Amino acid sequence: MDLSTALLGLGDAFSLTNLAFVVAGVAIGQIVGAIPGIGPVMAMAIAIPFTFVLDPLVAIAFLIGINKGGLFGGAIPAILINTPGTPDAAATALDGHPMARKGQPKKAMRFALYSSVTGDTFSDLVLITVSVPLAVLALKMGPVEVFALMIFAFSVIAGLVGDSILKGLIAAALGLLAATIGLDPEHGTPRLYFGYFELFDGLPLIAVAVGMLAVAEILRRLVEETSGQAAAIARQDESDPANSRISFAEYWRCRFVIARGAVIGTVLGAIPGIGSTAAAFMSYASAKRSAPDGESFGTGNPKGIAATESANSAVMGANLIPLLTIGIPGSISAALLISAFKIHGMQPGPLLFENQGRLIYGLFGAMIMANVANLAVGQMSLNLWAAVIRAPASVVFPSALVFCVVGVYLSTGGMFGVAVMLLAAIASFLMRAFGYPVIVFIIAFFLGSNFERSLSQTLVILDGDPANLLAHPIAAALLMLAFVSVVWFLAPARRR
């Protein structure tokens, strides 16, 4: 990939149209992140069908803007009313809400904003730096290695997400089974279509994603008892400007905490399945353990906010490392981006850099632009977000449900897609009730077609003899690691 391609991609990113959609995405992400129970993942799932009419770069940049804005937005209710807007902001509430109760809610939110943008920018720079070399390395991997890598990824994700690796593996198997619905890619034979010719092309990706992520959560929230959950917004103490502003010296005192959190979030984010919540709590624990005033954590120490927000935001850019280089999503938001790539005619993986290099560098430019927009929009809108979180659930969730139905209807061209969406929502609701991780199901479903193709090619290359794996040492090592990871995650279950 030459320098001219990179410069052309960056030029595409910094267009007025792209800038407008990035800013809009960031603003929407902050709003939905500030409403407990909505979150950027649900907003992305709802927004994907509406990006059909956009150019690929603008559509992906818009979705990434939503995700980045939601990373900070989740910290707002965590600080103001001790109710995290997103799960990864739960650790932010430990020091953010006590700081708000001291009369410094704006200062706490600014610490969260600055730390979030810093961590996010760091992980984006790592993504830009390492993704191209990793893609070149991934191009040297054949079908056998890709198949083994997917097996290893499924074993790790199934073990890290949820309470039971057995349930995680079952969820992955169900996701792969759902991906086989439709025409056999080798012979063109219809499978599991039950007389519905609309299923010849498989289950609609958008309908499944919106149903399992957005509609299921909306239904769960609508049936919950909401009385008594409202809380008063913390009152800002305006008598001292220092209660709402952050000086450079105050930010600089948190530099080591922010840097540590950014590194932790980037490393964990590059590993599929761990997620931003684990990164936030790990960074918080590390900051508390290493601080000389560790006992002050939990009482309103701004370093606690800086540690969690820098870590959970750094996960976002790192999640795209396995997505762009080998086509394996590291989180739900990354899995949703896969569906967005596919509906715009792109296949994530190493060939994306070779075939769509200009688009990739445009995406990198849009990510940096989204970080600046996140800082600017968040800085100007702190008072607005505090008002938004008071919106009643009786208005928010029915409106979101209408958007889901309209979006899926338009994207699938009829009511059949809406029916699939509702069935997916019911399946998601039941899976959560019985403890089966929905995340694993969705990732396996999105990777199902690639997995089946790699499996078929592997069987041909190995000629049906497992002993031929010895000629593929990388694949053999990955399969051994998959076996070790399953045994490792099963060990705690046996001890219980």
Side-chain angles (χ1 to χ4, degrees), residues 22-66:
V22 166
V23 173
V26 167
I28 292 172
Q30 289 190 10
I31 293 174
V32 298
I35 302 174
I38 299 285
V41 171
M42 184 186 298
M44 288 175 65
I46 296 173
I48 286 176
F50 295 96
T51 64
F52 281 157
V53 297
L54 302 177
D55 290 336
L57 176 58
V58 176
I60 303 298
F62 176 62
L63 297 173
I64 286 179
I66 292 176

Side-chain angles (χ1 to χ4, degrees), residues 141-392:
M141 300 175 63
V144 181
E145 287 75 19
V146 171
F147 170 73
L149 181 62
M150 287 190 181
I151 292 290
F152 175 60
F154 288 147
S155 66
V156 172
I157 293 171
L160 291 173
V161 179
D163 300 327
S164 167
I165 187 173
L166 291 178
K167 290 185 176 180
L169 292 174
I170 292 173
L174 292 174
L176 293 174
L177 178 63
T180 63
I181 295 175
L183 296 177
D184 183 341
E186 286 192 63
H187 308 292
T189 306
R191 305 174 301 188
L192 302 176
Y193 74 108
F194 302 106
Y196 291 96
F197 298 104
E198 295 90 345
L199 290 177
F200 271 22
D201 292 329
L203 291 172
L205 290 175
I206 300 303
V208 174
V210 173
M212 300 202 78
L213 297 176
V215 178
E217 182 65 18
I218 290 170
L219 295 177
R220 186 185 69 82
R221 293 283 296 182
L222 285 175
V223 301
E224 273 186 348
E225 179 63 42
T226 57
S227 60
Q229 291 186 355
I233 301 297
R235 180 174 297 176
Q236 175 70 34
D237 183 2
E238 303 287 355
S239 59
D240 186 356
N243 287 328
S244 60
R245 300 173 185 170
I246 296 177
S247 66
F248 179 77
E250 290 177 304
Y251 173 81
W252 191 245
R253 281 198 292 269
C254 297
R255 63 190 184 278
F256 294 118
V257 173
I258 294 174
R260 184 194 299 115
V263 171
I264 290 174
T266 301
V267 171
L268 296 185
I271 303 173
I274 293 184
S276 53
T277 303
F281 278 99
M282 186 176 295
S283 177
Y284 184 84
S286 176
K288 182 177 180 179
R289 185 171 57 250
S290 61
D293 57 342
E295 68 281 355
S296 67
F297 279 67
T299 63
N301 191 328
K303 290 184 178 180
I305 302 174
T308 59
E309 286 299 307
S310 60
N312 63 32
S313 296
V315 170
M316 194 274 161
N319 273 166
L320 297 186
I321 295 175
L323 171 66
L324 295 179
T325 56
I326 55 180
I328 295 178
S331 63
I332 292 184
S333 59
L336 287 174
L337 286 177
I338 280 189
S339 65
F341 274 107
K342 287 185 175 180
I343 66 177
H344 285 282
M346 298 172 288
Q347 177 62 49
L351 289 176
L352 190 62
F353 287 81
E354 184 175 324
N355 300 332
Q356 301 282 349
R358 180 171 176 175
L359 174 67
I360 290 299
Y361 274 96
L363 179 60
F364 291 160
M367 293 177 72
I368 299 300
M369 185 189 302
N371 292 334
V372 177
N374 203 11
L375 178 63
V377 173
Q379 187 74 18
M380 294 185 297
S381 310
L382 295 181
N383 291 330
L384 173 62
W385 309 145
V388 166
I389 63 172
R390 293 178 294 192

